[in-house]
Amino acid sequence: FALCKMYICFTVIAGLAILSFFFLRTRFPYLGEDCAYILRSIKLGFRLIKYKKVKPFYSVLDCFLDAAKRHPSKIFLHFEGREYTYGEVDKLSNKVARALQAEARLKKGDVVALFLANEPSFVWTWLGLAKLGCPAALLNFNIRSKSLLHCFSCCSAKVIIASSELQDAVEEVLPTLREQGISVYLLSEACSIQGINTLSDKISQASDQPLSWDLRANVNIRSTALYIYTSGTTGLPKAAVVTQERVWAASFIQAACGITSEDIFYVNLPLYHSAGFLIGMVGSIERGNTIVLKRKFSASQFWSDCRKYNVTVMQYIGETMRYLCNAPKKDNEKNHGVKFAIGNGVRTDIWSEFLNRFGDIKVRELYAATEGNIGFINYTSKIGAVGRVNFFFFPFTLIKFDIEKEEPVRNSEGLCIEAARGETGLLVGKVTQRSPFVGYAGNQQQTEKKRLRDVLKKGDLYFNTGDLLRFDHMNFVYFQDRVGDTFRWKGENVATSEVADILTMAPCILEANVYGVKVEGHEGRIGMAAVLLKEGEDFDCLQTYKQVVNYLPAYARPRFIRIQPCLEMTGTFKMKKVKLVEEGFNPAHMEDPLYFLDTEKKMYVPLTEDIYRAIACREIKL
Ligand SMILES: *[C@@H]1O[C@H](CO)[C@@H](O)[C@H](O)[C@H]1NC(C)=O
Ligand SMILES: *[C@H]1O[C@H](CO)[C@@H](O)[C@H](O)[C@H]1NC(C)=O
């Protein structure tokens, strides 16, 4: 996680240099906030330096064990009306570790894939694995079949643990898993399917005695702690390697925002992403505070949960902020204890409306990529900004980007050109020893694709975030857009080529160009595909629907399909997208036949002007 770098590179001298630099540069309005934030960051920087040196290595698990010793009866987790103390979670994780040790014969370093819903067992199963010195791969519980197998195999796991509610998804890929000799465990007391082992019964019989520290003696700050999946720029999701150092750095975000051990943190984002897992759950372990965990985000339960559990910190993404603002107004909306909101992707208008309706909540908007080496936090609450560049924790730059060609603009010497202040550019982070780019598990090719060379000097190396940002004259950072090969919908990144691969497996489709289009009143972009049919074939509304629904999670399915007589290519044989994105899905504006994925009729249907109108006035929910 990117923010880490900021903490790492501190020494006293750097700190002082930065401070004096900052006193000269910063204008008056943000002085207090800048100072408080910088001082907190320097303290955290020193802690990370200490963790890098101390032997034996002090991991987040050790931090959890210390918290469980310090306050065993403090509530760690609230979930659906039940509460779990630090002491209980510690014991449960001992039981999980012992059951897995006996059943799966796990050794230190073995990777275990977790295919779990957002439920408390996610937390103690991960802690149990950490006690055995085993990294966990956090599978997205929405993925199925080909994607699921791909994600599973790219982290070289030999064991998968699944929630009982995901049994069907596991059964679907079971033949392949068995062929590969994978051990499959279900968090359930009973299961009649051959090849699926139950785990809950073994966990409840296992001893809750602590495990020997020796089991994880191999773990150090550079060890892989987790694999977290990010959407591929080409093809299937990639497993970003998250080291112990990154886990620590990401867990410091709560501390950097001023969250304390007294706070109650509301985790309503999925635990398979870094936001929910690292910033939320692991950050709460680092602070020693209490988590309210939700199976999924619910706008209607949000504020009543906050009141019921005395929540003081909420987590958000742009979509959830919008859902909260779209909910019907109530009289008691400002009656809650939420002081901070931490997240990313909220748009300026929604941010202002949110503050107007729900009161004086400090919004800490941040920008970072799971695998990246750069990050920003908006610690001063400037509406719309994702951060502030007032000092150099990590070297980065914005470079001019050609949206049409989808590549950086280069000058006659072959070097990139820095974007001017106020101008939108591609964010790239310099790869150095202190801000490394670890890359993706088992995917050298994808790792290489995120590397950008000869940026400002011949032979230099940068991490390409794929994100377009802008810095203003007050040093605030604004997220603008994402370059064309992924788009975001319902808080998930969708890789266009993965969707195209699935579409072209439908018998009538020869080629597909997938992109995201904006819909009024929604965050992100919804999936759309321009397709070329095979010669002599008609568009098969039912078969294409089945193909898409069988292989893609709901957020990745193209809701609109545009049939084209040919697909336009760029000079470098990439499909042209910019014009298609601009043209959108209004049937009045194009001749090409358009289809709409109708979730009620369970097929694609011709996109009529009536349907278009119903979408625009939100009679049809997307
Ligand atoms: C919330 O705070 C109130 C008042 O301090 C307290 O009575 C109540 O028990 C708290 N609720 C929870 C779930 O901790
Ligand atoms: C951060 O958010 C606050 C609102 O909570 C805002 O006043 C401040 O200007 C923001 N700062 C940045 C850098 O975005």
Side-chain angles (χ1 to χ4, degrees), residues 318-614:
E319 287 79 358
T320 57
M321 283 290 216
R322 187 182 281 271
Y323 297 148
L324 291 174
C325 289
N326 284 347
K329 284 203 164 70
K330 292 197 180 142
D331 293 336
N332 61 348
E333 287 187 335
K334 291 194 166 94
N335 168 23
H336 58 76
V338 178
K339 295 179 297 190
F340 288 100
I342 301 181
N344 71 287
V346 62
R347 290 184 10 170
T348 310
D349 52 337
I350 300 286
W351 188 331
S352 306
E353 188 184 340
F354 179 82
L355 296 180
N356 280 339
R357 269 184 67 175
F358 303 108
D360 185 20
I361 297 173
K362 296 192 177 72
V363 178
R364 295 293 178 254
E365 173 83 3
L366 46 101
Y367 166 86
T370 303
E371 74 279 36
N373 60 353
I374 320 172
F376 309 103
I377 301 184
N378 170 12
Y379 51 88
T380 63
S381 306
K382 177 160 178 77
I383 290 179
V386 299
R388 186 148 163 72
V389 241
N390 49 11
F391 48 95
F392 312 117
F393 277 125
F394 36 77
F396 63 86
T397 186
L398 288 187
I399 55 175
K400 286 184 197 276
F401 189 77
D402 184 331
I403 294 175
E404 188 72 39
K405 290 190 188 149
E406 291 190 4
E407 60 190 37
V409 178
R410 291 193 183 260
N411 63 18
S412 56
E413 294 163 66
L415 297 176
C416 298
I417 305 164
E418 283 188 279
R421 200 121 293 219
E423 185 185 17
T424 297
L426 177 72
L427 178 69
V428 294
K430 187 156 197 198
V431 177
T432 65
Q433 197 155 29
R434 289 177 310 172
S435 53
F437 166 52
V438 185
Y440 307 107
N443 202 332
Q444 195 51 42
Q445 193 193 349
Q446 287 302 324
T447 302
E448 196 50 44
K449 281 198 89 138
K450 294 298 272 185
R451 293 191 169 127
L452 197 61
R453 292 169 202 283
D454 300 340
V455 175
L456 298 181
K457 275 201 232 106
K458 283 282 173 203
D460 63 7
L461 177 63
Y462 281 72
F463 169 73
N464 178 353
T465 62
D467 289 327
L468 301 176
L469 276 77
R470 180 170 65 80
F471 298 145
D472 75 3
H473 294 277
M474 296 279 284
N475 280 333
F476 287 112
V477 187
Y478 300 84
F479 180 78
Q480 300 296 111
D481 208 348
R482 175 155 287 221
V483 303
D485 36 23
T486 65
F487 61 87
R488 236 175 119 74
W489 180 246
K490 306 236 171 198
E492 297 281 350
N493 294 329
V494 180
T496 56
S497 52
E498 180 181 356
V499 178
D501 286 349
I502 297 295
L503 275 177
T504 47
M505 282 158 59
C508 63
I509 295 176
L510 181 66
E511 278 187 279
N513 184 5
V514 177
Y515 49 95
V517 288
K518 281 215 191 295
V519 191
E520 180 64 27
H522 291 268
E523 294 299 318
R525 296 171 187 273
I526 194 167
M528 179 158 183
V531 305
L532 180 64
L533 298 176
K534 284 185 188 151
E535 200 158 321
E537 295 273 349
D538 289 325
F539 181 65
D540 188 329
C541 290
L542 195 58
Q543 208 171 37
T544 310
Y545 171 85
K546 284 189 179 150
Q547 174 70 16
V548 158
V549 169
N550 282 341
Y551 286 97
L552 292 170
Y555 57 78
R557 296 172 192 159
R559 288 303 291 272
F560 304 108
I561 288 188
R562 172 175 183 172
I563 313 291
Q564 291 202 289
C566 69
L567 298 183
E568 265 190 281
M569 299 285 198
T570 65
T572 49
F573 300 103
K574 280 196 254 178
M575 303 227 194
K576 283 197 179 172
K577 292 187 205 256
V578 174
K579 194 156 134 256
L580 292 169
V581 169
E582 277 168 11
E583 286 171 353
F585 60 95
N586 186 348
H589 293 169
M590 62 190 81
E591 309 253 292
D592 295 334
L594 285 175
Y595 291 87
F596 170 64
L597 189 159
D598 187 325
T599 48
E600 269 164 31
K601 296 205 174 108
K602 299 196 182 307
M603 62 191 290
Y604 280 97
V605 296
L607 175 55
T608 59
E609 303 231 6
D610 279 347
I611 294 180
Y612 182 81
R613 257 196 305 277

Side-chain angles (χ1 to χ4, degrees), residues 75 78 83 264 307-310:
I75 295 171
H78 287 283
E83 51 204 44
I264 316 280
R307 282 187 280 271
K308 180 169 166 200
Y309 295 109
N310 304 323

Side-chain angles (χ1 to χ4, degrees), residues 6-8 10 19 32-48 252-260 286-287 340 342 362 364 377-381 391 393:
M6 25 201 271
Y7 308 113
I8 297 167
F10 272 121
L19 276 176
E33 281 159 318
D34 280 344
C35 268
Y37 175 76
I38 288 174
L39 290 175
R40 281 199 296 266
S41 299
I42 290 175
K43 260 168 72 181
L44 292 166
F46 277 121
R47 260 180 69 195
L48 198 53
F252 286 164
I253 289 172
Q254 283 197 29
C257 292
I259 310 303
T260 72
E286 189 280 328
R287 297 281 77 192
F340 288 100
I342 301 181
K362 296 192 177 72
R364 295 293 178 254
I377 301 184
N378 170 12
Y379 51 88
T380 63
S381 306
F391 48 95
F393 277 125

